[in-house]
Amino acid sequence: MQRDFALEAEELFRSFATRHSLVIEKLDEPNVELLMRISAQRSLDFELTLGLQNTDELNIGFEKFWSYFFPFEKQRHNVEQALDGLMSGDTRLATHRQFGWVVKRVVEVCNGGTWKPIYHAYSVVQVPFIGTSISYLTNNKLSVPSPG
């Protein structure tokens, strides 16, 4: 029997929201174990969708991007770090385009002044030797976590 991570995932997402004084809502979605939304607000530039599906797959979604972090137990810390990083400026979404088409999106976390990828999502095959433009999405309304 597989372990049910829905309660742990909800606690993870609610704790994140509490640390950063964000309003979070639980959505009723029958096709996933958990779906929560944090609307754009005072300290967040864009809507953030958080979820758990397929029993142990954590999801972060924003700006036409959806990620799959699994298994839960191995990825929980990475997801927590990425979410906190969104609020502090240490996480960004890099969107790679060729000829105007999105070919890849990468979640990057800054560690010691160096940006490192923690998640890749490929839309189409990236053609080598063809110019690629990269744009970055960051939260410009940075916050400091609440103590506690």
Side-chain angles (χ1 to χ4, degrees), residues 78-98:
N78 288 338
V79 167
E80 186 171 35
Q81 178 186 15
L83 290 172
D84 284 336
L86 277 175
M87 301 307 295
S88 69
D90 290 330
T91 299
R92 67 185 183 186
L93 177 65
T95 301
H96 298 242
R97 289 183 173 83
Q98 288 183 334

Side-chain angles (χ1 to χ4, degrees), residues 1-136:
M1 183 172 151
Q2 285 193 324
R3 186 167 153 196
D4 182 359
F5 292 105
L7 291 175
E8 290 178 65
E10 185 170 352
E11 175 59 27
L12 170 71
F13 299 148
R14 288 192 186 281
S15 292
F16 160 71
T18 299
R19 275 193 308 281
H20 298 283
S21 302
L22 298 168
V23 176
I24 188 169
E25 66 178 309
K26 187 174 181 178
L27 305 174
D28 184 25
E29 175 56 53
N31 297 320
V32 296
E33 286 85 344
L34 176 67
L35 190 64
M36 302 185 84
R37 177 177 49 220
I38 300 174
S39 298
Q41 46 200 276
R42 187 176 51 84
S43 60
L44 184 63
D45 282 334
F46 44 81
E47 182 175 286
L48 191 58
T49 304
L50 307 170
L52 177 77
Q53 62 184 9
N54 300 325
T55 311
D56 71 341
E57 183 179 287
L58 289 163
N59 310 115
I60 301 172
F62 54 93
E63 297 293 316
K64 300 181 184 179
F65 169 77
W66 189 250
S67 61
Y68 308 93
F69 290 89
F70 61 91
F72 180 93
E73 291 174 309
K74 290 185 178 180
Q75 293 295 328
R76 178 188 177 121
H77 177 72
N78 288 338
V79 167
E80 186 171 35
Q81 178 186 15
L83 290 172
D84 284 336
L86 277 175
M87 301 307 295
S88 69
D90 290 330
T91 299
R92 67 185 183 186
L93 177 65
T95 301
H96 298 242
R97 289 183 173 83
Q98 288 183 334
F99 303 111
W101 294 87
V102 173
V103 293
K104 176 173 64 171
R105 288 188 172 103
V106 182
V107 176
E108 299 175 335
V109 174
C110 189
N111 190 347
T114 303
W115 290 96
K116 300 190 184 232
I118 63 166
Y119 184 87
H120 295 82
Y122 296 91
S123 302
V124 295
V125 175
Q126 193 167 355
V127 181
F129 309 111
I130 302 281
T132 301
S133 66
I134 304 172
S135 60
Y136 298 97

